[in-house]
């Protein structure tokens, strides 16, 4: 679903038409924990359970799946990465495309946080949705006011 938006309010309104109103933005560092046993896995699984029960809608930048699969493959091998492909096909996670407002906000976040542009995409979406950001990447996201660090 390609959403053409010009503001955070438009992004929230577009998502609200297809999902619940409680959003949680998830960084790839948390998504990896769904497949690889590491510190913070229990918290990551709890977030996934909340999404499965409809308590929250998980929202991610479109690069999330690529980052998670790359890391799973590096840490656990090809087979777990292939299992993750099937999971993502059925998970109902909302992906946000690289529309202008998201990209502009990500550039601002990268400057404010002193992190890589790709690492700034999830905080940018969290900002636009006024939603919490779940991350295990302390280096990139510890300075973001709305972050809930896992692990």
């Amino acid at each position: 679903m390609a959403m053409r938006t010009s503001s955070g309010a438009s992004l929230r309104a577009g998502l609200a038409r297809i999902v619940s109103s409680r959003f949680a933005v998830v960084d790839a560092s948390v998504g990896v924990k769904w497949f690889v046993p590491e510190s913070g896995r229990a918290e990551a699984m709890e977030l996934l359970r909340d999404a499965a029960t409809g308590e929250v809608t998980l929202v991610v930048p479109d690069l999330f799946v690529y980052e998670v699969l790359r890391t799973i493959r590096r840490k656990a091998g090809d087979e777990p990465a292939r299992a993750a492909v099937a999971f993502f096909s059925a998970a109902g996670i909302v992906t946000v495309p690289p529309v202008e407002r998201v990209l502009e906000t990500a550039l601002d976040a990268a400057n404010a946080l002193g992190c890589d542009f790709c690492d700034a995409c999830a905080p940018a979406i969290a900002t636009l949705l006024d939603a919490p950001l779940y991350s295990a990447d302390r280096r990139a996201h510890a300075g973001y006011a709305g972050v809930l660090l896992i692990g």
Side-chain angles (χ1 to χ4, degrees):
M1 175 176 141
M3 289 193 266
R4 304 276 181 227
T5 62
S6 59
S7 70
S10 297
L11 183 60
R12 282 189 301 277
L15 287 174
R17 282 189 291 251
I18 58 170
V19 295
S20 72
S21 61
R22 184 170 169 240
F23 302 119
V25 179
V26 182
D27 179 66
S29 59
V30 173
V32 168
K33 294 177 185 310
W34 297 334
F35 305 97
V36 178
E38 57 186 33
S39 175
R41 186 163 199 233
E43 295 165 281
M45 295 306 287
E46 184 177 334
L47 182 61
L48 196 56
R49 279 189 293 279
D50 288 348
T53 62
E55 290 180 44
V56 67
T57 297
L58 302 181
V59 182
V60 300
D62 66 349
L63 55 87
F64 174 92
V65 174
Y66 298 102
E67 290 181 318
V68 170
L69 289 175
R70 177 194 65 211
T71 305
I72 293 169
R73 189 168 180 268
R74 186 183 77 236
K75 289 184 173 188
D78 196 61
E79 190 174 320
R82 290 184 186 277
V85 169
F87 167 81
F88 285 124
S89 295
I93 296 170
V94 176
T95 58
V96 177
V99 294
E100 183 177 359
R101 188 67 188 139
V102 170
L103 297 173
E104 289 173 351
T105 306
L107 287 168
D108 293 340
N111 288 328
L113 297 171
C115 68
D116 179 83
F117 175 79
C118 290
D119 289 333
C121 290
I125 293 167
T127 297
L128 291 169
L129 292 176
D130 193 26
L133 168 65
Y134 289 82
S135 175
D137 189 343
R138 282 174 170 69
R139 181 189 51 78
H141 301 137
Y144 181 71
V147 71
L148 297 164
L149 290 169
I150 291 176

